Amino acid sequence: MTKWNRIRNILQGIATIVFAMILFARPEYGLTIVLAIVGIGMTLRGIGQLIYYFSMARHMVDGKFVLCRGLIFLDLGLFTSAISDNPDAVVIFYIAAVSAFNGLVSILHAFESRKSGSPRWKYSLLHGAACLILAGVGVIGYLVLQNTDLCVYAYAAGLLYSAVLFFAVAFRRSAIVYIA
C-alpha cells in the first residue's frame, strides 16, 4: 500500500468518526444526515469509478464491468439524494436495504476468499454480519419501537465500525513484492 493510500484511509477513518459523532449528538437530524452521507458517498464512488473507466479500465479485460458499476453507484447516489423529502419509513427501509446488500456481498466475498485460501476471509465475514445486524436493528427499531433514533444510532455504530476498519487497513503491514 502506498503512503498516499495510507493517508487516505486515515483521513476517511477520521471523517467517518466525525460523522458518527454528529449522528450520536444530533439524532433528531439523523435521517437527513444519513441520507446525505449515503447519497454523497455513492455519488462520489460512482464518479470515481467512471473516471477510472475512462482513464484506464476501458482498455482492460472486463472494463465494461467498471463502467456499469460506476453508473449504478452514480444512479443510486443521485436517487438517495432525491428521496430526502420522503417519509421516514421509506428512508429507513432504503438505508437498511443498502446496508443488507452490502452485508450480503461481504459475506459472499468471504466465502469466495475462504475457498481461495485467503487468511483474511474472517474479516470480510465479520463485516458482512455486522452490516446485516445493523440493518436488522434499524428496521426492528422502527417497526417495533416506532423510534427513528434507534435507526440513526445503529447507522452511527456502523460508521464507527467502518472507521475502525479504515484504521486497521491503514496500519496493517503490507507485503513488498520484488520482481527480479
Side-chain angles (χ1 to χ4, degrees):
M1 176 178 290
T2 64
K3 288 181 183 180
W4 169 245
N5 287 340
R6 289 186 194 279
I7 292 170
R8 189 186 64 181
N9 279 333
I10 291 170
L11 292 176
Q12 283 178 328
I14 291 170
T16 305
I17 288 174
V18 168
F19 282 124
M21 291 302 130
I22 291 171
L23 288 175
F24 279 124
R26 295 288 188 176
E28 62 271 8
Y29 303 115
L31 290 179
T32 306
I33 295 171
V34 168
L35 278 177
I37 292 170
V38 172
I40 292 170
M42 283 187 175
T43 302
L44 290 177
R45 185 167 179 185
I47 290 171
Q49 290 289 310
L50 290 175
I51 290 172
Y52 175 64
Y53 171 76
F54 287 115
S55 64
M56 186 183 303
R58 66 182 169 168
H59 303 294
M60 296 171 22
V61 175
D62 288 337
K64 290 185 180 180
F65 179 71
V66 175
L67 174 67
C68 292
R69 189 172 47 201
L71 289 173
I72 288 170
F73 274 116
L74 182 64
D75 288 342
L76 283 175
L78 295 175
F79 175 73
T80 304
S81 299
I83 66 169
S84 62
D85 59 342
N86 284 338
D88 292 342
V90 173
V91 172
I92 289 171
F93 288 123
Y94 174 73
I95 292 171
V98 168
S99 181
F101 180 75
N102 186 15
L104 288 174
V105 168
S106 293
I107 289 173
L108 291 174
H109 178 69
F111 290 146
E112 185 177 327
S113 296
R114 183 178 178 199
K115 285 180 186 176
S116 66
S118 174
R120 302 202 186 273
W121 68 272
K122 295 174 187 174
Y123 298 115
S124 186
L125 183 67
L126 181 66
H127 176 70
C131 287
L132 286 176
I133 289 170
L134 290 174
V137 166
V139 169
I140 290 171
Y142 181 74
L143 290 177
V144 175
L145 302 175
Q146 297 294 321
N147 188 356
T148 59
D149 290 349
L150 184 61
C151 303
V152 173
Y153 290 142
Y155 188 77
L159 284 179
L160 287 177
Y161 176 72
S162 295
V164 169
L165 290 180
F166 280 127
F167 288 129
V169 168
F171 293 116
R172 183 181 343 161
R173 293 180 58 96
S174 56
I176 299 174
V177 178
Y178 293 102
I179 299 173

